[in-house]
Amino acid sequence: MSIKLVAIDLDGTLLNSLHQISPAVKAAIAQAKQKGIQVILASGRPYTGIQPYLKELGLDTANDYCISNNGSVIHQAHDGSHLVENLLDFADYLYFEELSRNIGVHLHALADNTMFTANRHISHYTIHDAYLTNSPLVYCPVNEMESSLKFTKIMMIDCPEKLDIGISYIPENTYENYSLIKTSPYYLEISNNTSNKGTALQVICEKLGITPDKVMSIGDQNNDIQMLKYASVSVAMGNSQEHIQKLAKFVTETNDDDGVAIAINKFINPENQ
């Protein structure tokens, strides 16, 4: 088996609990790059939340790509320009903004790397997400929003108990028309129903002429499932839930125990074993 490309999720995978890349993980990725392996960062975050880590790992050249917003956008890594995008429009935003109010949960939406919320009492989960992803946060009532905006992702966010109750009231046909993925106890992420990390990864691989049998993917959450299914070498983090681990070829250590480094060294840098 000869891996040519590695796709790596960020939160809970590449990053430890302090949102840092450990020295061991950084070294394993650098060694893989030296062997000519293409490394792709694939995240639910917008580009602004990925870019610092691209720079830290040296994955910000004109020949690098990254996947943001759960696969809604494929970027040229060096400048964030969109190679492929599958976005939501203003009508989609209006639907979910009204729905969120009806079911009693907070909501924010991302457009042009900016986070918008119409909630006068802004959720601290929104503030945390804006901080984590380096996204400017704008309070904007619905009637003042630009109708020309396109959205990479919409998020229902709230405390776990409140969010779960709200989710139970979402109409069934919403799941047929959109991709809704719960990526943490606090977040329900909404995107175009054609968007996922697996489809985006396939687009990049086809562009590079790399077949799935040469692909390795590493993740820990529900938004990583399609990416894990696409790759012949699928790696679940030790901190991932049981159903994620069951579909993976290999279960590595947790994100706080250099799980990404262990997986890369196993399949790409065996001399480090």
Side-chain angles (χ1 to χ4, degrees):
M1 182 185 304
S2 177
I3 301 299
K4 299 296 183 185
L5 183 147
V6 181
I8 310 172
D9 169 57
L10 262 69
D11 295 290
T13 302
L14 178 74
L15 308 179
N16 61 23
S17 297
L18 299 176
H19 305 293
Q20 298 171 341
I21 305 173
S22 74
V25 170
K26 194 178 298 185
I29 291 174
Q31 192 171 349
K33 283 179 56 190
Q34 289 174 357
K35 294 179 177 180
I37 307 299
Q38 185 94 30
V39 180
I40 304 291
L41 299 189
S43 179
R45 296 186 182 207
Y47 176 78
T48 52
I50 304 173
Q51 194 272 337
Y53 303 108
L54 294 170
K55 183 176 182 180
E56 183 176 352
L57 294 171
L59 300 175
D60 56 351
T61 76
N63 296 318
D64 288 308
Y65 307 93
C66 69
I67 297 168
S68 75
N69 297 284
N70 296 323
S72 292
V73 185
I74 301 172
H75 301 268
Q76 297 283 166
H78 69 290
D79 62 2
S81 58
H82 293 195
L83 182 67
V84 176
E85 58 183 26
N86 292 295
L87 308 180
L88 300 169
D89 62 20
F90 192 62
D92 299 319
Y93 171 76
L94 291 177
Y95 172 74
F96 283 104
E97 204 285 326
E98 181 179 12
L99 178 61
S100 71
R101 292 182 184 276
N102 289 340
I103 65 178
V105 299
H106 287 83
L107 177 137
H108 62 247
L110 288 112
D112 296 328
N113 291 315
T114 299
M115 189 175 292
F116 293 91
T117 182
N119 300 137
R120 184 178 298 276
H121 300 289
I122 300 175
S123 168
H124 69 273
Y125 294 110
T126 289
I127 295 170
H128 175 73
D129 195 37
Y131 171 77
L132 198 65
T133 60
N134 300 308
S135 301
L137 175 58
V138 176
Y139 163 69
C140 187
V142 174
N143 62 354
E144 296 179 16
M145 289 283 284
E146 290 288 339
S147 61
S148 60
L149 283 173
K150 299 288 186 179
F151 300 90
T152 52
K153 182 174 66 173
I154 296 171
M155 296 177 67
M156 290 185 178
I157 74 278
D158 230 304
C159 63
E161 298 81 7
K162 192 173 181 180
L163 182 60
D164 285 342
I165 292 171
I167 288 173
S168 71
Y169 289 107
I170 294 176
E172 192 63 35
N173 65 347
T174 305
Y175 291 89
E176 298 171 4
N177 298 325
Y178 300 93
S179 171
L180 285 78
I181 302 175
K182 193 175 182 186
T183 57
S184 86
Y186 321 99
Y187 299 143
L188 179 71
E189 305 198 20
I190 302 153
S191 56
N192 187 299
N193 63 1
T194 63
S195 301
N196 62 70
K197 291 185 185 181
T199 300
L201 179 58
Q202 180 179 353
V203 170
I204 293 175
C205 289
E206 289 176 353
K207 179 178 177 62
L208 297 174
I210 298 174
T211 52
D213 60 303
K214 305 293 184 183
V215 177
M216 174 181 177
S217 60
I218 313 174
D220 75 306
Q221 272 290 351
N222 290 325
N223 59 342
D224 298 315
I225 288 176
Q226 298 305 318
M227 182 173 77
L228 293 171
K229 287 182 176 180
Y230 177 77
S232 66
V233 179
S234 53
V235 178
M237 300 298 293
N239 48 285
S240 61
Q241 296 181 17
E242 184 178 359
H243 70 281
I244 304 290
Q245 295 185 16
K246 283 184 175 180
L247 65 84
K249 177 175 182 177
F250 176 67
V251 178
T252 187
E253 296 296 327
T254 72
N255 60 322
D256 286 325
D257 295 305
D258 299 325
V260 167
I262 290 169
I264 290 176
N265 288 337
K266 176 178 176 64
F267 292 101
I268 297 174
N269 305 322
E271 63 273 22
N272 295 340
Q273 297 292 300

